[in-house]
Amino acid sequence: MESNISTNKSLIIFFSFAFLLAWGLMSIAIAKNFGWLEISIPVEPFLIIGSWVPNIAAFLVISFFIKRKGGIRHLAKGWLKFKVPAIWYIVTFSPLVLAGLAIGIYKLLYGVAPVEDIVTDPVGLIALLIMITITGAMGEELGWRGFALPRLQTGMGALSASIILGVIWVIWHSPLWFAGLGFEEIPFLAYAIIGISFTVLVTWACNNSNGSLVIASLFHLTLNISVNIIENKAIFIHAFLFLAFSFIVVLIYGSSRLSKSSEIPIDKKTSSWVCPIKNKIL
């Protein structure tokens, strides 16, 4: 259990901060999109800051509610877990493989490859990679997978924790569909299927890589790349492949731990990932 407050209370506070702060920032873009707010400044900086809210929310809960000395430093050490079996680095590229399969299936069915123009635009592709690296991949994972995931798994099985976190993750992103940024062109149901399935997969990866946030962040990065290179008309095929992949993982690894190990690397006393080096708590 947490030292100052219960694990459940810390999660409630974390999710509350994550939603209130992010949706507050997102409301600026929404208000501008609907003409409720006439401002000349760009909304992108607010969106970038908003993308870091999960990490910021985790920092706030650790600092002001859990009050664990060195807690933020220990949390950030998840980004230093590079020494994991190579297979998990390979696994992080699975969203790109699934995107390739979706493109191939769509072309086989309709004779056209549903690939976005940005794939053939080096400058645009580099700009996209930079943006999605400093936002979702880096800005969210200390919060979602570093803070929330191990705490959810102390009270329930890995699959249940993944589905709950996946639903929350999808809802957290939902204001983007009202901000006039192009997300409204993505079928929300397909996005939800991908988001929840991806959450199951990244839990599987974390539970088998000692809670490596390097793996989680790379996984998030390739997910974002995959949904940006495939046209929306093929997004449901992409979503089905994600769902099928996550289903296979659950069948093979089991729903309780999503791991072949008898225990997942979580210290139940602190509800945090356990560092394999000198048994330090992250």
Side-chain angles (χ1 to χ4, degrees):
M1 301 297 289
E2 302 287 4
S3 57
N4 290 74
I5 58 175
S6 70
T7 299
N8 288 340
K9 286 183 179 178
S10 69
L11 281 169
I12 291 171
I13 296 169
F14 165 75
F15 289 130
S16 297
F17 276 144
F19 275 86
L20 289 173
L21 295 175
W23 284 17
L25 289 166
M26 185 61 65
S27 66
I28 298 172
I30 295 173
K32 184 177 180 181
N33 181 47
F34 283 90
W36 301 333
L37 181 65
E38 294 185 3
I39 55 175
S40 58
I41 60 174
V43 298
E44 285 76 12
F46 296 100
L47 301 179
I48 293 174
I49 296 171
S51 70
W52 275 79
V53 161
N55 291 1
I56 295 170
F59 299 159
L60 291 173
V61 175
I62 291 171
S63 297
F64 298 106
F65 295 91
I66 297 175
K67 298 180 180 179
R68 180 177 300 140
K69 185 178 180 180
I72 293 176
R73 176 173 54 84
H74 289 313
L75 176 65
K77 280 185 178 180
W79 271 339
L80 300 179
K81 290 185 176 181
F82 292 96
K83 294 182 179 181
V84 300
I87 184 62
W88 298 108
Y89 283 98
I90 296 172
V91 164
T92 64
F93 286 91
S94 58
L96 299 178
V97 175
L98 297 179
L101 286 173
I103 291 169
I105 292 171
Y106 190 94
K107 184 176 181 180
L108 184 65
L109 293 174
Y110 302 103
V112 179
V115 179
E116 292 285 359
D117 293 338
I118 197 169
V119 174
T120 58
D121 177 12
V123 175
L125 189 58
I126 291 172
L128 172 67
L129 289 174
I130 293 173
M131 178 58 70
I132 61 179
T133 298
I134 65 175
T135 54
M138 296 295 293
E140 298 182 29
E141 290 307 321
L142 287 181
W144 300 134
R145 253 60 68 166
F147 183 87
L149 180 59
R151 285 165 174 78
L152 284 169
Q153 289 191 94
T154 60
M156 63 188 72
L159 179 60
S160 298
S162 300
I163 292 174
I164 290 173
L165 187 58
V167 170
I168 290 172
W169 190 66
V170 169
I171 295 173
W172 183 81
H173 283 87
S174 62
L176 291 170
W177 270 255
F178 305 94
L181 300 171
F183 281 83
E184 63 276 7
E185 298 176 5
I186 303 174
F188 188 76
L189 176 59
Y191 181 87
I193 293 171
I194 291 173
I196 296 170
S197 299
F198 168 76
T199 305
V200 173
L201 295 173
V202 77
T203 297
W204 165 58
C206 284
N207 285 358
N208 289 277
S209 63
N210 291 309
S212 172
L213 299 184
V214 176
I215 295 300
S217 297
L218 286 173
F219 220 149
H220 198 149
L221 176 62
T222 59
L223 168 71
N224 287 348
I225 294 172
S226 73
V227 297
N228 276 279
I229 65 174
I230 187 170
E231 292 183 357
N232 291 330
K233 59 187 177 184
I235 198 71
F236 274 105
I237 298 176
H238 198 197
F240 173 79
L241 293 173
F242 261 102
L243 184 62
F245 185 23
S246 63
F247 183 72
I248 292 170
V249 165
V250 172
L251 285 180
I252 295 175
Y253 285 82
S255 62
S256 62
R257 294 186 298 273
L258 291 177
S259 173
K260 289 297 185 181
S261 175
S262 59
E263 293 184 4
I264 53 179
I266 296 173
D267 185 281
K268 293 184 179 180
K269 292 182 180 179
T270 59
S271 304
S272 302
W273 295 112
V274 175
C275 180
I277 301 175
K278 296 182 180 180
N279 201 39
K280 290 182 180 178
I281 304 302
L282 297 186

